[in-house]
Amino acid sequence: MLKSIKVFAPASVSNVGCGFDTIGFAINGLGDELIIKPNSHGVLKIKKITGDKGRLPKNAEANTAAVAMLSMLKSLNSKQGFDIEIRKKMPLCSGLGSSAASAVAGVFALNEILERPFSKDELLMFALDGEFIASRAIHADNVAPSLYGGFNLIRSYNPIDIIKINPPKSLHCTVLYIDTEINTAESRKLISKNIPLKKSREHFGNIGALVHGLHTSDYSLIG
């Protein structure tokens, strides 16, 4: 087993267009770094968090990265302990998938140091357990892009089914970050549980047009 490992997981944009919980993509540059080292205590311990201004919990049961890692260790019936250092390199509550990046970094690092017992598709499920802590909902449109990279379409949640989308290579995204925080769990409570048939039909059509535009480099459809 390696003495330590450091990984980076990128930020992401979710709910692309009208693809609520359905379409997301990864962003170059922004993201989270995570370092883990095996310990002899048999517990998962968060030793240090930087870049969060002291706001994120060090309690492993309440931290998205640690919860995702605990889920993986439980599935392996592993009693191995690890020390964790999290380096936040993006704003919190910014809509850029901060919690998802931490969860993905945690499971990816753990999988590497354990010599890859799980596939990426299996890692996704553990990362979703961590993401649930932050958003109180299962949604993969931040987690999947952070794990797989690029554009991702979540076709189904039960069972999970991720489709890779190949966008035009010249397509760029400009992220405008304003100093306003949006808590995912709270904002999701504002969403209506029912959508009129006419409105949902428009959404279905626009999602199809967006995906087709990405595959065919049709910028008018993407827009």
Side-chain angles (χ1 to χ4, degrees):
M1 184 181 292
L2 295 172
K3 292 183 178 180
S4 69
I5 189 170
K6 178 172 74 173
V7 304
F8 172 84
S12 56
V13 173
S14 61
N15 304 319
V16 178
C18 56
F20 177 72
D21 283 0
T22 306
I23 301 176
F25 60 86
I27 299 175
N28 283 332
L30 293 174
D32 282 356
E33 280 185 357
L34 186 141
I35 301 170
I36 63 171
K37 301 176 181 180
N39 66 39
S40 58
H41 311 306
V43 295
L44 208 62
K45 186 173 181 61
I46 300 174
K47 303 286 285 186
K48 185 178 181 181
I49 304 177
T50 58
D52 68 328
K53 298 181 180 179
R55 295 171 55 187
L56 294 179
K58 289 186 177 179
N59 174 11
E61 301 288 344
N63 183 281
T64 57
V67 167
M69 295 169 69
L70 285 170
S71 180
M72 181 191 294
L73 290 170
K74 182 179 179 180
S75 74
L76 291 170
N77 293 316
S78 173
K79 303 299 182 182
Q80 173 63 52
F82 293 91
D83 293 334
I84 307 169
E85 178 181 346
I86 301 170
R87 299 173 180 175
K88 301 297 295 184
K89 295 181 176 293
M90 71 173 89
L92 303 182
C93 299
S94 61
L96 296 175
S98 175
S99 58
S102 290
V104 167
V107 297
F108 192 89
L110 185 57
N111 196 53
E112 291 296 311
I113 210 166
L114 294 176
E115 299 179 348
R116 301 181 184 177
F118 296 107
S119 68
K120 274 194 176 181
D121 290 347
E122 291 169 322
L123 292 184
L124 179 74
M125 303 309 296
F126 299 127
L128 285 174
D129 289 339
E131 173 75 324
F132 182 81
I133 295 297
S135 63
R136 311 311 301 176
I138 296 295
H139 63 99
D141 49 340
N142 286 115
V143 170
S146 187
L147 179 61
Y148 297 113
F151 253 95
N152 292 262
L153 168 69
I154 295 83
R155 182 186 179 199
S156 168
Y157 278 87
N158 189 22
I160 196 74
D161 184 10
I162 310 294
I163 297 175
K164 186 83 169 179
I165 298 175
N166 296 313
K169 291 184 178 180
S170 58
L171 183 65
H172 295 272
C173 171
T174 299
V175 177
L176 302 179
Y177 174 70
I178 59 174
D179 194 17
T180 299
E181 295 188 355
I182 300 174
N183 180 279
T184 302
E186 293 302 316
S187 63
R188 290 181 73 92
K189 294 178 182 178
L190 304 177
I191 300 171
S192 173
K193 301 299 181 185
N194 298 290
I195 302 174
L197 180 61
K198 182 177 182 295
K199 179 62 68 176
S200 61
R201 188 172 58 207
E202 292 174 3
H203 285 341
F204 302 152
N206 281 326
I207 289 174
L210 172 60
V211 172
H212 182 69
L214 289 168
H215 278 303
T216 60
S217 299
D218 187 327
Y219 286 94
S220 63
L221 279 180
I222 293 172

